[in-house]
Amino acid sequence: MVKKTVLFVIIIVIAYTVVSITTGSPIERVQFRSNVTDYLHKTYTMNWKIESVDYDFKNDKFIANVISGSGISFLVEEDYYRQMMDNYACSIWMDEIKTAVTKKAKEVTGSDAEVIVDIYSLGSHTIIYRDEIPSYSTVSRAFSSNAKLRMD
């Protein structure tokens, strides 16, 4: 009976270790979700929903996928100093660029286009916007954007 109990405990410890290594600690995942919830409540007045919390094995950290009340998908994660950060402003701007490029492609070609947009910060400074996010055209000098089109 004791051998079975010891074997069961060893199997549980091994299983927990394997799960923690490959998908992150379940306890840390719950704590991270709680931290993201606190961060979003303190940072934004908009409605939002945490869609998922994923583990980044390469960087050994969790990333939360969040959807705003207006349907914008963005990420929340911890930086290397364990401070929460998000890409909500960039997600707004990427959506703005994607909408404009898709509309222009439709006007020019008459076909629908799939648009993939990336925005990169130029320089070492970080510009942080919260609920009042300006149009990308007003901040575009501090960033570089790249749009890829695929026409059907």
Side-chain angles (χ1 to χ4, degrees):
M1 181 69 172
V2 172
K3 287 182 181 180
K4 286 183 180 179
T5 305
V6 170
L7 182 62
F8 179 73
V9 169
I10 290 172
I11 289 172
I12 294 296
V13 168
I14 290 171
Y16 181 82
T17 303
V18 169
V19 167
S20 293
I21 289 171
T22 58
T23 64
S25 164
I27 295 167
E28 288 179 19
R29 181 181 300 267
V30 170
Q31 181 62 46
F32 179 76
R33 181 182 276 273
S34 175
N35 292 346
V36 168
T37 300
D38 292 344
Y39 169 78
L40 291 170
H41 279 302
K42 290 176 187 173
T43 308
Y44 297 109
T45 58
M46 67 182 171
N47 293 327
W48 47 265
K49 178 183 175 190
I50 299 174
E51 284 288 299
S52 65
V53 174
D54 301 314
Y55 182 67
D56 179 356
F57 179 77
K58 183 178 176 183
N59 294 307
D60 187 32
K61 66 179 180 177
F62 290 100
I63 300 172
N65 298 298
V66 181
I67 299 217
S68 71
S70 61
I72 300 294
S73 179
F74 64 100
L75 302 175
V76 179
E77 61 188 296
E78 287 182 336
D79 64 13
Y80 292 107
Y81 303 107
R82 314 274 297 156
Q83 299 295 314
M84 289 292 193
M85 63 182 193
D86 66 76
N87 70 342
Y88 180 62
C90 281
S91 293
I92 293 275
W93 295 329
M94 287 188 289
D95 187 63
E96 181 182 333
I97 294 168
K98 181 178 179 178
T99 301
V101 171
T102 302
K103 181 180 175 186
K104 190 65 168 177
K106 181 79 171 176
E107 287 175 13
V108 172
T109 66
S111 299
D112 290 331
E114 179 183 344
V115 180
I116 300 171
V117 178
D118 291 319
I119 295 178
Y120 308 97
S121 176
L122 299 176
S124 61
H125 65 284
T126 301
I127 300 174
I128 299 174
Y129 298 99
R130 295 296 175 221
D131 289 321
E132 298 291 328
I133 297 173
S135 169
Y136 182 70
S137 61
T138 62
V139 297
S140 62
R141 290 181 188 223
F143 297 92
S144 172
S145 60
N146 179 23
K148 297 177 184 176
L149 291 175
R150 192 184 104 197
M151 306 299 287
D152 292 328

